Amino acid sequence: MPKLPKPEELSKISLIPPEKSWMDAPAEIREGMFCHPAKVKELEAVSFPNAHKWSVMDKDWNLPVDWKEIFLNGIKERLLRYRSFHVFMDICVRCGACADKCHFYISTGDPKNMPVLRAELLRSIYRKYFTASGKIFGKFAGARELTEDVLKELWYYYYQCTECRRCSLFCPYGIDQAEITMIGREITNLLGLNIGWIGGPVANSFRTGNHLGLEPHTLKNIMETLADDIEEVTGIRIDPPINKKGAEVLFVAPSGDLFGDPGVYTAMGYLMLMHEIGLDYTWSTYASEGGNFGFFTSMEMAKRLNSKVYAEAKRLGVKWILGGECGHMWRVWHQFMNTWNGPPDFLEEPVSPITGTKFESAKSAKVVHIMEFVADLIKHGKLKFDPSRNDHLKVTFHDSCNTARGMGIFEEPRYVIKSVCNHFHEMPEETIRERTFCCGSGSGLNASENMELRLRGGFPRASAVKYVRERHGVNMLANICALDRAAFPPLMNYWVPGVDVAGIHELVGNALVMEGEGERTMNLRLETLPGKEEAEDV
């Protein structure tokens, strides 16, 4: 990994555009701003085409002989398959309303990271080969030839987009740049140009059911270890149900919550909650992943991975599905699932067995977000909390892109946080809810070799955190996305030292008063609670 600049160096951003036209300014591909290619065996495991060894910094990417034909056919097929793609290629008037809304443009000053110009990288090829004006007038009509340099430029910048959809919020025509990025990646993937941080998780999910490649016995051991820690904190022994046939609810969490700090504390919160309310539920070692990295490769791959969850729900005979704190799993389930896999009519419309609430928003997909579920429990007085256990924390909340812009889950997380914490502070209004800034590492960019890109992309969000840090002493950034819990720790350490990261269910677990528990002297991180030092010594 290349040496990172210091924060004061990285924050010096010039927004002065280059003198040359963007078509005449070749891309400067440099270390720290891209992910390494996927391994051949990973792509072959899921039957991706043209898997081959290549290096981003090499002049020769070892493309297939007929790469140009493959690329253009890829555009043609998707123009016919996706009406939205065809519309988006034609209706942009390049007004620039989206230009300064992208976190990557704000933090790099690179014009090709303006959503409008990033789209032009692909749209210019479309014009050249699929429109009469482009064929006749060429560059004057915004068209350009498809060359290897043009291909490399398009690949480079389409992996500098996290598909967060913030730009689409401001587009007067409703153009979804994320969908254009998805199509652009699909087409380059036809040439074997996938990245390791996506190809690896996709292959793992296809093989084992989760991104990390965790085997069933590993998942069981992890949950038993978490149960050990819960017992140490509360004195209560939890026996997590796994692969239980006939359970009422299948619970599916992101695998990042079962493997890694701080996600494991979120998982502990899940386990404590389910135990306390006596929910008849089960985890699955087959459908052990809520997230869907296939979404960052192709619609077909996302469909294949998504089908595992419903196949397992059918096998186990559950009534409905409860999903954990994850981001893109929710955009997949609520915006694409019925088109891909068809309505799951073998499941029932979700109804809380604790409160009797019917979750109308889950009527189609039969999946309830855990924040909706817990907010409902709190509203009906089914949980007891001691918020003072979180008094050492001053909390702010990051609206994860897919649950916020993709689902409209705005108030439930805030309601839960305020129920379990006494100190909550919002970031500036223009940076939260539907206008939230991305973590900068989404859509498969959460690697180590592209750390400069990630730190730059997360700069706008970090700046908003710094604002509440300086004014209110905020020291905890809460969120409801496993990718955020992985991306934010290095981002905070770099830009806003002193701010930690947590899933909301870690805060819930800390405050939850469980029947039969012993005196709490530690939080879920096994840290001594303020004022309990003497009890801990005893």
Side-chain angles (χ1 to χ4, degrees):
M1 185 174 71
K3 185 179 178 181
L4 286 170
K6 294 180 179 180
E8 54 269 24
E9 298 172 327
L10 205 62
S11 61
K12 292 179 180 178
I13 302 159
S14 173
L15 297 178
I16 300 174
E19 294 182 3
K20 291 183 178 180
S21 163
W22 69 270
M23 284 194 187
D24 299 323
E28 180 190 351
I29 299 177
R30 59 187 183 85
E31 297 281 358
M33 297 292 286
F34 60 81
C35 296
H36 293 160
K39 296 178 181 178
V40 173
K41 65 178 183 180
E42 295 168 345
L43 300 185
E44 289 179 341
V46 290
S47 302
F48 265 123
N50 293 305
H52 66 281
K53 189 174 181 179
W54 61 289
S55 175
V56 179
M57 296 304 292
D58 286 351
K59 184 176 181 180
D60 185 356
W61 282 13
N62 299 321
L63 298 171
V65 176
D66 56 345
W67 71 268
K68 188 172 180 178
E69 180 182 355
I70 293 171
F71 192 100
L72 295 176
N73 282 338
I75 294 178
K76 181 179 180 180
E77 290 170 3
R78 283 152 186 81
L79 289 171
L80 295 173
R81 189 186 308 167
Y82 306 123
R83 186 171 184 271
S84 59
F85 177 50
H86 204 163
V87 170
F88 294 161
M89 287 292 99
D90 284 331
I91 66 173
C92 178
V93 295
R94 291 179 278 187
C95 68
C98 65
D100 61 346
K101 308 307 186 294
C102 176
H103 46 284
F104 285 119
Y105 174 64
I106 292 171
S107 59
T108 65
D110 188 337
K112 292 176 184 176
N113 270 324
M114 294 179 181
V116 58
L117 190 42
R118 191 186 291 117
E120 284 294 301
L121 301 179
L122 182 58
R123 193 176 284 120
S124 61
I125 301 170
Y126 160 76
R127 289 196 186 105
K128 176 63 180 177
Y129 296 94
F130 297 93
T131 69
S133 60
K135 291 176 181 177
I136 296 171
F137 297 109
K139 188 176 180 180
F140 292 103
R144 61 177 179 165
E145 295 280 351
L146 176 58
T147 66
E148 287 194 29
D149 286 340
V150 166
L151 171 67
K152 290 179 180 180
E153 178 181 66
L154 185 142
W155 180 91
Y156 185 56
Y157 285 102
Y158 278 54
Y159 284 98
Q160 290 186 38
C161 170
T162 47
E163 303 176 11
C164 80
R165 302 176 67 241
R166 189 173 194 264
C167 53
S168 66
L169 192 71
F170 299 90
C171 177
Y173 290 91
I175 296 173
D176 189 345
Q177 172 62 36
E179 189 164 333
I180 298 176
T181 293
M182 290 157 62
I183 297 297
R185 288 188 182 186
E186 273 199 31
I187 297 169
T188 57
N189 288 340
L190 296 175
L191 304 176
L193 302 179
N194 208 320
I195 64 172
W197 201 246
I198 295 177
V202 165
N204 284 336
S205 290
F206 188 73
R207 179 174 60 88
T208 68
N210 61 77
H211 296 163
L212 301 172
L214 303 176
E215 303 286 354
H217 63 279
T218 305
L219 291 165
K220 185 174 185 297
N221 289 341
I222 289 172
M223 283 192 239
E224 288 175 350
T225 300
L226 297 181
D228 290 340
D229 287 348
I230 292 171
E231 186 174 15
E232 185 174 354
V233 172
T234 67
I236 295 174
R237 185 67 195 182
I238 292 175
D239 184 19
I242 301 174
N243 298 334
K244 176 185 173 183
K245 286 194 173 183
E248 184 167 357
V249 176
L250 170 62
F251 180 62
V252 183
S255 60
D257 283 350
L258 294 173
F259 197 82
D261 182 340
V264 290
Y265 310 119
T266 305
M268 290 169 69
Y270 299 149
L271 291 169
M272 294 167 68
L273 174 76
M274 307 302 183
H275 175 86
E276 183 60 21
I277 63 176
L279 185 67
D280 180 18
Y281 84 110
T282 185
W283 299 71
S284 165
T285 57
Y286 174 77
S288 52
E289 180 63 74
N292 193 326
F293 269 47
F295 193 47
F296 310 138
T297 58
S298 70
M299 294 292 184
E300 182 59 34
M301 181 54 65
K303 174 183 175 180
R304 289 166 68 184
L305 298 185
N306 187 63
S307 65
K308 282 178 173 280
V309 177
Y310 289 93
E312 183 68 339
K314 193 170 188 176
R315 185 185 75 85
L316 294 175
V318 302
K319 293 182 179 179
W320 52 278
I321 301 168
L322 179 64
E325 294 185 21
C326 184
H328 45 80
M329 70 186 280
W330 288 102
R331 190 175 179 210
V332 164
W333 272 342
H334 280 264
Q335 295 186 356
F336 294 91
M337 195 288 297
N338 279 354
T339 302
W340 290 341
N341 303 110
D345 295 333
F346 58 90
L347 295 174
E348 298 180 8
E349 185 175 348
V351 176
S352 172
I354 313 301
T355 67
T357 296
K358 183 179 288 188
F359 295 98
E360 296 290 343
S361 63
K363 186 175 182 178
S364 178
K366 310 297 192 296
V367 183
V368 175
H369 193 290
I370 196 164
M371 297 314 303
E372 299 172 291
F373 183 71
V374 174
D376 177 66
L377 291 172
I378 296 173
K379 180 181 178 181
H380 286 85
K382 300 299 183 180
L383 300 173
K384 289 179 62 178
F385 294 117
D386 179 0
S388 69
R389 294 174 183 166
N390 286 318
D391 274 355
H392 59 298
L393 303 177
K394 293 185 178 181
V395 183
T396 192
F397 176 66
H398 164 72
D399 292 275
S400 302
C401 300
N402 283 301
T403 50
R405 277 188 289 273
M407 278 189 71
I409 294 183
F410 302 126
E411 302 311 321
E412 293 91 341
R414 291 170 168 83
Y415 176 65
V416 174
I417 292 174
K418 291 175 183 178
S419 298
V420 302
C421 297
N422 289 321
H423 308 292
F424 176 72
H425 304 277
E426 288 279 19
M427 286 180 273
E429 189 64 32
E430 67 273 13
T431 73
I432 59 175
R433 292 185 171 86
E434 67 273 12
R435 289 180 286 178
T436 185
F437 273 114
C438 180
C439 68
S441 298
S443 75
L445 302 188
N446 191 27
S448 58
E449 64 268 18
N450 66 332
M451 187 58 75
E452 181 182 336
L453 175 67
R454 290 174 54 194
L455 294 175
R456 285 186 179 277
F459 176 64
R461 169 46 77 222
S463 297
V465 175
K466 186 176 182 181
Y467 179 91
V468 289
R469 168 75 170 167
E470 292 176 346
R471 283 159 181 76
H472 305 292
V474 163
N475 58 8
M476 181 60 76
L477 177 59
N479 61 81
I480 54 172
C481 174
L483 200 149
D484 287 331
R485 290 189 283 283
F488 277 138
L491 189 72
M492 293 299 105
N493 288 338
Y494 185 83
W495 290 116
V496 200
V499 176
D500 214 332
V501 180
I504 289 182
H505 273 77
E506 177 183 346
L507 307 178
V508 169
N510 281 339
L512 183 63
V513 178
M514 303 178 72
E515 185 177 350
E517 71 176 17
E519 181 185 3
R520 295 270 196 105
T521 60
M522 296 182 290
N523 60 23
L524 297 190
R525 302 190 182 198
L526 306 183
E527 300 167 339
T528 303
L529 291 172
K532 298 292 184 178
E533 291 83 2
E534 291 185 6
E536 186 73 4
D537 291 338
V538 174

